[in-house]
Amino acid sequence: MPRLPLTARIPLAVSLLFLVISAALISLALHGVSRQFDRQVANLGQVYLDGLSAAILPSVRTGDREQMVEVLNRALDTHLGVVDRTLAVVTEDHRLLAHVARYPEVEPVPLASFAEASGTLVSPRSEGVWTWRLLDDQRPALGTLVANLDVSDFLRQREELALELGLVGLAISLIGAVLCYGMARRLQRPIISLTEALRAGPEDRLRTMRVDTTDPELRELLSAYNWMAESVVQREALTERNARIEREAVLGRMSAALAHEVRNPLGGLRTAVQTLRQFGERAEVRAESLGFIERGVEALQAVVDASLRTFRPGIAQLHEADIADIRLMVGAQASRGGVRVELHCEGMHEQRLALPAGAVRQVLLNLVLNAIQASPPGELVLVFARARRDALTLHVADSGTGLPPAARRALTGGPTDGDGMGLGIVADLIKTMQGRLRVTRTAKGTRISVRLPGGPREEAS
């Protein structure tokens, strides 16, 4: 039963309940029939003894034993409807005063059973009934008249009646149980339909149901389900729309980030091209400009590689060379601003770290470019990377006047404008790598420290 669905358990429970009630009613009916039979047999025996006691009472009063036996034999030979098999007169102290029997195999007289003034005792073994009563209620000393009557026909009729009653009751119970099951299933049809609708697989959408019942409770339930189904459909549509908007926003931010990262090297390339146009006939200027252009192209290539690794994490783990590339990537921007860049690495020799190389390099590149822009000409930007067992620490120190408000908002994850786009990318990447960022104001400028969890992973080949 517990493994069956609820829509099947309820009808089965109703059917079983009907069967139990029917069985109880049949048992009560059979018990009533049995009691009615016992009353009829008892009445029949007492009526029989009433007539016999009137005939034998004079001989009992006179104590004529031969006359008693004669009267009993005449009664034994004559019977209409009732077959008597044993007749006896029993004294007050339970002794046989007179006794006759139709068949010698009839069971002996149960003398110990005649304690009461009158009564009936059914004997299934001999298919008979023992019945007795006092000859004279006023004079119990006269004795008790006892008869054994053949009630085999009554017993057979009672068994046949009980069998018929049981079979008819069983048939009615089974038919009633089937009808109860069908009625319960019919009443549950809206609930079954509702359950099937709720069990729809994830690929199926919730569908509304037609409310065609007159039951006010079921109408209210189905109406509530239809409202829920419509709400779910509307919510799914709104979720899809929000997901599409979010994808478009992500693409927009990615495009803006790429444009921002490419803009700085392009500025240096534009300056080198203008210098070539004006002073290209001079060999030293031409060599310097071509070298600058070459470094700018390499910087653009590095930006593209870093972007690809950022949006495809796990391609490569961090190595010391990935940090050293920053010097090349910011070379053009530093030269144009007259700023020197020094980079130091500690604890990363011949080791790869369990950090995405593209994302770490992107963070460091934006911080260094921001430090170069904030530093006056002739100043130094110091970059320091230290790898420990459980984390990588990056420090970028400049000699500027401090972070502007837009840059601070970008580093804390707030709204950014065009100037703060690079630092906004830094904040997002650090959050993705579960790192921490701290800004410290020093005597000479600003120091930004980044701590990224993840220690050495394997030796570099």
Side-chain angles (χ1 to χ4, degrees):
M1 286 288 288
R3 296 184 179 181
L4 295 176
L6 183 63
T7 53
R9 277 184 284 169
I10 292 178
L12 285 177
V14 173
S15 301
L16 290 177
L17 180 61
F18 184 86
L19 288 175
V20 170
I21 294 175
S22 300
L25 293 177
I26 292 173
S27 299
L28 290 176
L30 292 175
H31 181 67
V33 169
S34 179
R35 293 184 59 184
Q36 182 66 23
F37 168 80
D38 293 339
R39 284 195 297 267
Q40 290 178 354
V41 169
N43 293 334
L44 177 65
Q46 293 300 316
V47 169
Y48 177 83
L49 292 179
D50 286 343
L52 182 59
S53 63
I56 200 173
L57 184 58
S59 58
V60 173
R61 287 175 178 173
T62 60
D64 189 351
R65 195 166 190 175
E66 293 182 358
Q67 184 66 28
M68 295 181 200
V69 173
E70 183 180 355
V71 172
L72 293 179
N73 281 323
R74 285 200 304 268
L76 196 65
D77 294 337
T78 304
H79 59 84
L80 294 174
V82 179
V83 178
D84 42 7
R85 297 186 297 189
T86 300
L87 299 175
V89 178
V90 180
T91 62
E92 188 178 8
D93 55 354
H94 303 292
R95 290 183 299 104
L96 286 175
L97 186 59
H99 175 251
V100 295
R102 182 181 301 273
Y103 307 109
E105 65 272 10
V106 174
E107 60 181 315
V109 180
L111 299 175
S113 301
F114 308 142
E116 298 181 359
S118 63
T120 303
L121 178 63
V122 178
S123 177
R125 187 184 66 178
S126 61
E127 295 184 345
V129 58
W130 290 97
T131 181
W132 66 92
R133 58 158 295 176
L134 291 175
L135 288 169
D136 190 348
D137 295 336
Q138 303 299 327
R139 298 175 62 187
L142 292 178
T144 302
L145 184 60
V146 179
N148 181 275
L149 306 179
D150 185 2
V151 292
S152 57
D153 291 339
F154 287 92
L155 290 176
R156 185 169 54 255
Q157 292 175 7
R158 184 177 70 169
E159 292 177 356
E160 293 176 355
L161 180 60
L163 180 60
E164 292 177 1
L165 184 60
L167 293 177
V168 172
L170 180 60
I172 294 176
S173 300
L174 293 177
I175 294 174
V178 173
L179 291 177
C180 287
Y181 184 85
M183 291 177 61
R185 292 285 291 185
R186 182 177 180 83
L187 291 175
Q188 279 191 308
R189 187 175 301 169
I191 308 299
I192 294 174
S193 302
L194 180 60
T195 304
E196 292 176 353
L198 291 174
R199 286 179 178 175
E203 68 279 358
D204 300 330
R205 288 183 175 271
L206 289 177
R207 63 183 186 277
T208 58
M209 300 179 60
R210 186 175 62 181
V211 182
D212 56 355
T213 178
T214 58
D215 190 334
E217 294 184 0
L218 286 178
R219 288 180 64 87
E220 183 178 356
L221 177 62
L222 295 179
S223 299
Y225 167 77
N226 289 337
W227 174 82
M228 182 194 69
E230 293 174 356
S231 300
V232 170
V233 172
Q234 294 176 1
R235 186 162 58 249
E236 289 179 352
L238 182 61
T239 302
E240 292 178 358
R241 179 174 177 272
N242 291 337
R244 185 173 63 256
I245 294 175
E246 180 66 21
R247 287 195 299 269
E248 293 175 355
V250 170
L251 291 176
R253 289 196 298 269
M254 183 177 67
S255 301
L258 290 176
H260 173 79
E261 297 304 321
V262 172
R263 183 179 62 180
N264 293 326
L266 285 180
L269 292 176
R270 189 186 306 111
T271 302
V273 171
Q274 292 175 356
T275 302
L276 283 175
R277 286 178 178 176
Q278 294 178 2
F279 308 102
E281 67 278 0
R282 298 167 57 179
E284 65 276 7
V285 174
R286 186 168 59 251
E288 183 180 2
S289 298
L290 290 176
F292 196 80
I293 291 173
E294 184 177 3
R295 291 192 298 272
V297 171
E298 292 177 354
L300 287 176
Q301 182 65 42
V303 169
V304 173
D305 293 341
S307 300
L308 289 176
R309 292 175 183 177
T310 298
F311 293 103
R312 288 188 299 174
I315 295 178
Q317 294 179 347
L318 186 66
H319 188 257
E320 183 180 2
D322 299 316
I323 302 295
D325 287 344
I326 299 299
R327 187 182 293 108
L328 175 63
M329 296 169 66
V330 302
Q333 185 76 12
S335 297
R336 187 172 60 182
V339 178
R340 294 179 296 114
V341 178
E342 289 186 7
L343 190 147
H344 303 276
C345 292
E346 180 181 326
M348 299 181 62
H349 182 64
E350 297 297 332
Q351 280 189 339
R352 295 190 183 276
L353 304 181
L355 289 168
V360 175
R361 189 162 55 181
Q362 187 82 353
V363 169
L364 192 57
L365 173 64
N366 282 278
L367 292 178
V368 174
L369 289 176
N370 185 76
I372 291 173
Q373 292 178 358
S375 299
E379 294 295 335
L380 173 67
V381 173
L382 181 61
V383 181
F384 188 80
R386 175 183 295 169
R388 296 187 180 275
R389 182 175 299 275
D390 58 347
L392 171 67
T393 305
L394 303 175
H395 301 279
V396 178
D398 60 42
S399 302
T401 58
L403 286 174
R408 286 187 175 274
R409 288 196 303 271
L411 284 176
T412 57
T416 61
D417 51 18
D419 294 334
M421 179 69 69
L423 295 180
I425 295 174
V426 168
D428 291 340
L429 290 175
I430 292 176
K431 182 178 179 181
T432 302
M433 291 183 288
Q434 300 180 352
R436 292 182 298 175
L437 181 143
R438 183 177 62 183
V439 179
T440 306
R441 179 65 179 166
T442 64
K444 294 184 179 181
T446 303
R447 182 175 74 246
I448 299 178
S449 302
V450 177
R451 186 179 185 278
L452 302 174
R457 178 61 63 85
E458 61 181 8
E459 294 294 328
S461 58

